[in-house]
């Protein structure tokens, strides 16, 4: 027997066990218990909470100005008196800047996720459920957008709208919308074959009502899980674009911009780029772990799709 | 054959539509192009005169067809910042990008496929573990951060390789490796899983029981089958390399198409930005077309459709 068949059996067994458990203790508690048991998710959540906490509570506690320059205290190493993570080439406090940078990253990620989730869900559901020429049109546009490298789209947007976070959010949101719409469409196509949709149709429900009451609740969990995967994509893209100067503009502190500022001083103060760089990696890692964990908890079938988005 | 033709027609239509979109997008920043040409103290009339001279007041479709006409006649115009001829920029930077892109492409497949095979043939060994860890890390670390780590280690600390510049073989190493890393990691994963899938097939057992040597079973049968999904995605890898080249070329100061485009956008040099946007969009569309066509060529099941 091949490995693949084995995994299917395991998945089936697990789903059966999950079903029985949710019958016993109720669906909400069963889901929550599963979340706690998932070590990846737990680790990712703890890591994420630490980074998030640093981003949101950090600046409030210190109350310091991220752009305050102090030329008598440049290039301090981490652990210096009054500058927990040291200072950069202008003597600005690294800790405060990293905290605000996390906030900027998360704001971009939130904007991108809202845009891509909203439009991706609507487009994917319309294409998958309505079919026909609407499906062909939406699919044509979505496949076209999806075929472009994210960074190239963002550079084109920056070329049209100027540099800044707004074009970055639009560009990344656009490409992620296409990615989410593709998967949602596929899910809707397979859901439309199921008996409950058939039953709703036979019962004479209108198309909008079937889509809203019967398809939407079934599609929401996998879409949210998928969106969490694209949060990581958005964070990396924002950092990369800020790094090459097309994202956040000074004086707004952003993690990518800080890595870029620090790279001219690698030989005297490697910390200046290392600290924001490690922060980006931690942020991305925690978001990916949360995404992977959520996927395992809510929808084991999505495992292949989230990993294989690029391979279709 | 029908599919190839359909994809080709689709690509041409999409290319035409994208050229309009790119043209329009870059034109949106036309006001800045005027600002770049006149001193800040210039009067409103002066600005208007420059707008008129640049043709920014003509109807949009006229501007577009003028532009396409001048492209066809080979008159590509000059850069606003250093007055360099765009045509000669294209040959020079295009060549540099081609060198870097080809090196990355060779790394993606020339290193990725053997590593993936090794991992699949020594499954669950230390080799497998090490290669797969490397692959996961290659996908998780953002490439600009990888670039910086590589510069810090190999240029600043060890002094083995130069940190930036073009175009000696030594200067090529770091940008090519960084540019290739994510595609390489993906290729390793795909090769491993495709090999494993084929190794478990019944025909492999039949071949082995027929007395065929292991080298021939793997080389002639398993590997050939496993290659299909990997090679058919070569086009997608090209698109990915084009996207990342924008970042990697900028970091390493590699004067290729990506760096030219990023700098042109930053300096609002809009004839350059417009032309090189079109060039990169065309490359991406061509490679997507190649991916589509390649897939139907190597996958006989799709040929009828």
């Amino acid at each position: 027997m091949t490995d693949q068949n084995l995994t299917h059996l395991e998945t089936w067994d697990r789903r059966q066990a999950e079903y029985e458990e949710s019958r016993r203790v109720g669906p909400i508690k069963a889901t929550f218990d599963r979340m706690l048991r998932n070590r990846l998710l737990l680790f990712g959540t703890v890591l994420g909470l630490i980074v998030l906490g640093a981003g949101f509570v950090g600046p409030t506690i210190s109350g310091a100005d991220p752009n305050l320059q102090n030329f008598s205290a440049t290039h301090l190493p981490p652990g210096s008196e009054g500058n927990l993570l040291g200072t950069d080439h202008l003597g600005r406090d690294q800790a405060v800047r990293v905290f605000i940078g996390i906030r900027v990253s998360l704001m971009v990620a939130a904007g991108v996720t809202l845009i891509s989730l909203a439009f991706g869900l609507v487009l994917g559901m319309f294409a998958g459920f309505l079919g026909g020429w609407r499906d062909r049109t939406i699919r044509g546009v979505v496949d076209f957008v999806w075929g472009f490298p994210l960074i190239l789209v963002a550079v084109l947007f920056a070329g049209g709208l100027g540099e800044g976070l707004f074009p970055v959010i639009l560009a990344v949101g656009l490409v992620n919308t296409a990615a989410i719409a593709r998967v949602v469409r596929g899910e809707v196509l397979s859901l439309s074959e199921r008996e409950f949709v058939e039953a709703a149709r036979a019962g004479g429900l209108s198309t909008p009502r079937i889509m809203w009451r019967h398809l939407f609740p079934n599609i929401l969990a996998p879409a949210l899980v998928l969106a969490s995967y694209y949060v990581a994509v958005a964070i990396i893209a924002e950092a990369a674009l800020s790094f090459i100067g097309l994202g956040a503009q000074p004086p707004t502190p952003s993690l990518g911009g800080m890595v870029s500022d620090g790279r001219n001083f690698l030989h005297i103060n490697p910390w200046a780029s290392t600290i924001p760089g490690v922060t980006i990696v931690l942020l991305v890692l925690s978001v990916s772990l949360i995404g992977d964990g959520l996927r395992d908890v809510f929808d084991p079938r999505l495992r292949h799709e989230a990993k294989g988005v690029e391979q279709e | 054959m029908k599919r190839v033709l359909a994809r080709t027609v689709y690509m041409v239509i999409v290319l035409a539509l994208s050229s309009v979109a790119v043209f329009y997008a870059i034109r949106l920043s036309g006001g800045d192009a005027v600002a770049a040409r006149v001193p800040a103290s210039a009067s409103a009339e002066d600005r208007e005169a420059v707008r008129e001279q640049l043709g920014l007041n003509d109807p949009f479709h006229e501007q577009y067809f003028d532009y396409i006409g001048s492209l066809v006649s080979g008159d590509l115009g000059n850069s606003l910042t250093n007055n360099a001829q765009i045509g000669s920029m294209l040959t020079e930077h295009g060549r540099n990008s081609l060198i870097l892109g080809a090196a990355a492409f060779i790394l993606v497949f020339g290193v990725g496929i053997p590593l993936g095979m090794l991992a699949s043939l020594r499954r669950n060994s230390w080799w497998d573990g090490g290669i797969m860890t490397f692959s996961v890390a290659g996908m998780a670390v953002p490439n600009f951060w990888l670039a910086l780590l590589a510069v810090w280690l190999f240029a600043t600390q060890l002094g083995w390789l130069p940190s930036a510049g073009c175009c000696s073989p030594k200067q090529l190493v770091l940008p090519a490796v960084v540019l290739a890393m994510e595609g390489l990691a993906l290729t390793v994963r795909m090769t491993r899983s495709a090999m494993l899938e084929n190794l478990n097939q019944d025909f492999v057992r039949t071949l082995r029981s027929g007395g065929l040597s292991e080298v021939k079973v793997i080389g002639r049968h398993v590997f050939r089958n496993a290659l299909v999904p990997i090679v058919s995605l070569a086009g997608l890898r090209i698109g990915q390399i084009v996207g990342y080249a924008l970042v990697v070329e900028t970091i390493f100061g590699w004067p290729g198409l990506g760096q030219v485009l990023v700098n042109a956008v930053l300096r609002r040099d809009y004839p350059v930005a417009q032309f090189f946007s079109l060039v990169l969009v065309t490359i991406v569309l061509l490679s997507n077309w190649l991916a589509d066509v390649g897939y139907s060529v190597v996958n006989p099941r799709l040929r009828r459709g």
Side-chain angles (χ1 to χ4, degrees), chain A residues 67-88:
Chain A
N67 297 316
L68 185 69
Q69 302 180 356
N70 178 0
F71 288 100
S72 61
T74 57
H75 295 308
L76 291 180
S80 306
E81 180 82 38
N83 299 99
L84 193 59
L85 296 178
T87 56
D88 67 2

Side-chain angles (χ1 to χ4, degrees), chain A residues 56-160:
Chain A
F56 282 88
V57 184
T60 322
I61 292 179
S62 74
D65 176 5
N67 297 316
L68 185 69
Q69 302 180 356
N70 178 0
F71 288 100
S72 61
T74 57
H75 295 308
L76 291 180
S80 306
E81 180 82 38
N83 299 99
L84 193 59
L85 296 178
T87 56
D88 67 2
H89 61 292
L90 298 175
R92 296 177 294 195
D93 183 58
Q94 285 278 76
V96 179
R97 289 180 67 77
V98 164
F99 293 154
I100 306 271
I102 292 173
R103 211 185 255 192
V104 170
S105 278
L106 290 172
M107 269 167 11
V108 170
V112 166
T113 309
L114 275 180
I115 292 179
S116 52
L117 203 53
F119 288 100
L121 270 170
V122 170
L123 287 175
M125 279 181 65
F126 272 94
F129 195 66
L130 297 179
W133 65 268
R134 299 185 191 85
D135 182 28
R136 280 195 298 276
T137 314
I138 295 176
R139 208 161 34 138
V141 175
V142 161
D143 281 352
F144 164 62
V145 171
W146 186 79
F148 274 91
L150 186 52
I151 303 285
L152 179 57
V153 177
V155 171
L156 294 181
F157 270 62

Side-chain angles (χ1 to χ4, degrees), chain A residues 91-283:
Chain A
R92 296 177 294 195
D93 183 58
Q94 285 278 76
V96 179
R97 289 180 67 77
V98 164
F99 293 154
I100 306 271
I102 292 173
R103 211 185 255 192
V104 170
S105 278
L106 290 172
M107 269 167 11
V108 170
V112 166
T113 309
L114 275 180
I115 292 179
S116 52
L117 203 53
F119 288 100
L121 270 170
V122 170
L123 287 175
M125 279 181 65
F126 272 94
F129 195 66
L130 297 179
W133 65 268
R134 299 185 191 85
D135 182 28
R136 280 195 298 276
T137 314
I138 295 176
R139 208 161 34 138
V141 175
V142 161
D143 281 352
F144 164 62
V145 171
W146 186 79
F148 274 91
L150 186 52
I151 303 285
L152 179 57
V153 177
V155 171
L156 294 181
F157 270 62
L161 301 174
E163 306 89 40
L165 289 175
F166 181 63
V168 170
I169 294 176
L170 280 187
V172 181
L174 181 71
V175 177
N176 287 1
T177 298
I180 289 181
R182 282 169 69 96
V183 177
V184 168
R185 175 182 171 273
E187 286 280 307
V188 169
L189 274 183
S190 72
L191 279 177
S192 315
E193 310 267 303
R194 300 267 291 273
E195 288 84 355
F196 70 92
V197 177
E198 195 98 352
R201 270 216 194 97
L205 293 190
S206 65
T207 304
R209 195 173 162 83
I210 298 177
M211 285 173 76
W212 176 242
R213 293 296 295 270
H214 296 268
L215 286 178
F216 183 69
N218 279 301
I219 214 76
L220 193 60
L224 281 175
V225 172
L226 198 66
S228 68
Y229 167 79
Y230 284 103
V231 169
V233 173
I235 291 174
I236 293 182
E238 185 273 323
L241 289 162
S242 295
F243 181 87
I244 59 176
L246 291 174
Q249 297 299 304
T252 309
S254 76
L255 298 172
M258 289 174 70
V259 175
S260 170
D261 285 344
R263 79 180 158 137
N264 297 324
F265 307 99
L266 274 184
H267 50 290
I268 41 175
N269 181 15
W271 296 110
S273 342
T274 309
I275 291 168
V278 169
T279 311
I280 296 170
V281 174
L282 286 180
L283 200 56

